[in-house]
Amino acid sequence: MREANLNPLNEQVAVVTGAGRGIGAAIARKLAALGAVVILCGRKLEPLESTAAEINRADGRAQVLPCDVTDLSSVEAAAQHVDTSYGRADILVNNAGVGGFGGPLHQMPAESWDQVLHTNLRGVYYCIRSFAPIMVRAQTGHIINISSLAGKNPLPNGAAYAASKWGLNGLSYSVAEELRVHHIRVSVVCPGSVDTELSPHTGKDSTKMLQPDDVAHVVGMLVTQAPQSFVSEVLLRPTMKP
Ligand code: NDP
């Protein structure tokens, strides 16, 4: 599992939200392959356990930590657990997210709006609020927020999702300025369509879409950047338009 006998992350502790499937699982596998101890967060235990087992079978180190990013006390308990168990949180990947591509905004039920914004935006605030103090104490860390090209462009029939990701970009740029004084790097990754369960991507050719490993590769690049610089934003596109 370790890449070419290298261990660039050297037992750093990495927390990945939404790590049971899709992009989050690929990021967890990648960070473990780079030598991190990976904490897999999400609501459903079974997919987290199967991703962790896969990592551990491949000689990586993974631990499962059930956590709902929409619940501040759940996120705070997760951060407390990581701090007590490891005394550090070097990398936080805010990946957990939900879609919401059901039609025009004026027909969207208010509960759906709340679920999208609460998970994709407020959830990231909860995670940064809970984990950043551990990084500030250590005067080092890297926070990576998984946004979307829907945070750079209009998305008809996905206005709430687009709003959550435009908001996440603004949050990321601002928090990056707040935390760089503490040697904490904040990066935002904006992928185009990725072949996962998030969306059926109706009308798109899935063979041309990005794969979760493409996003994980970017995260691997970001966290292995030498400490004196950081990539603040990545726009990731498939080579062929799907
Ligand atoms: P998936 O639907 O495959 O996975 C989403 C993950 O988020 C699941 O593991 C889910 O686990 C977790 N999750 C959802 N709600 C919560 C919650 N309240 N608390 C904790 N975990 C939660 O989607 P993707 O892998 O495609 O998406 C990952 C990220 O990438 C999202 O932020 C998405 O917006 C972004 N993205 C996706 C693109 C795509 O085309 N797929 C394109 C650009 C960005 P569980 O339900 O068990 O909690």
Side-chain angles (χ1 to χ4, degrees):
M1 160 75 79
R2 298 277 157 81
E3 297 192 341
N5 293 327
L6 295 175
N7 187 13
L9 296 182
N10 190 26
E11 313 277 310
Q12 285 185 36
V13 172
V15 177
V16 182
T17 67
R21 63 169 194 263
I23 295 169
I27 292 170
R29 287 192 295 267
K30 182 69 176 180
L31 294 176
L34 291 169
V37 177
V38 186
I39 317 296
L40 287 78
C41 296
R43 293 170 302 179
K44 295 186 204 96
L45 205 51
E46 195 278 325
L48 294 173
E49 280 176 342
S50 92
T51 305
E54 188 190 340
I55 290 171
N56 291 328
R57 268 197 308 274
D59 200 25
R61 286 181 65 192
Q63 192 205 326
V64 164
L65 191 51
C67 173
D68 181 344
V69 299
T70 65
D71 177 351
L72 180 57
S73 59
S74 168
V75 178
E76 283 176 340
Q80 184 62 54
H81 179 85
V82 170
D83 199 13
T84 305
S85 305
Y86 300 98
R88 58 197 286 183
D90 304 281
I91 297 167
L92 168 66
V93 183
N94 288 308
N95 164 81
V98 292
F101 313 107
L105 184 72
H106 69 274
Q107 293 172 0
M108 182 179 214
E111 311 78 58
S112 304
W113 165 272
D114 286 342
Q115 196 214 3
V116 172
L117 271 291
H118 207 148
T119 309
N120 297 2
L121 188 53
R122 197 178 173 104
V124 175
Y125 153 58
Y126 284 171
C127 289
I128 291 174
R129 182 187 150 106
S130 303
F131 283 95
I134 303 172
M135 297 180 174
V136 168
R137 190 183 67 215
Q139 289 290 292
T140 184
H142 200 151
I143 297 170
I144 296 169
N145 295 331
I146 307 301
S147 182
S148 169
L149 285 183
K152 307 294 286 186
N153 300 308
L155 184 64
N157 299 318
Y161 182 80
S164 73
K165 296 299 190 180
W166 279 76
L168 179 57
N169 287 358
L171 178 151
S172 303
Y173 311 142
S174 306
V175 174
E177 293 306 316
E178 293 169 1
L179 292 181
R180 63 197 295 191
V181 66
H182 299 292
H183 312 282
I184 297 166
R185 309 188 284 186
V186 179
S187 308
V188 62
V189 181
C190 302
S193 299
V194 186
D195 189 14
T196 69
E197 291 175 31
L198 186 88
S199 158
H201 295 293
T202 309
K204 294 196 173 167
D205 178 351
S206 64
T207 63
K208 294 180 182 157
M209 279 165 33
L210 294 166
Q211 296 301 314
D213 282 344
D214 296 318
V215 184
H217 178 77
V218 169
V219 172
M221 289 196 302
L222 295 174
V223 296
T224 51
Q225 178 93 1
Q228 70 275 12
S229 66
F230 75 108
V231 179
S232 54
E233 180 175 54
V234 177
L235 308 187
L236 181 68
R237 303 174 195 278
T239 305
M240 305 270 289
K241 247 185 182 301

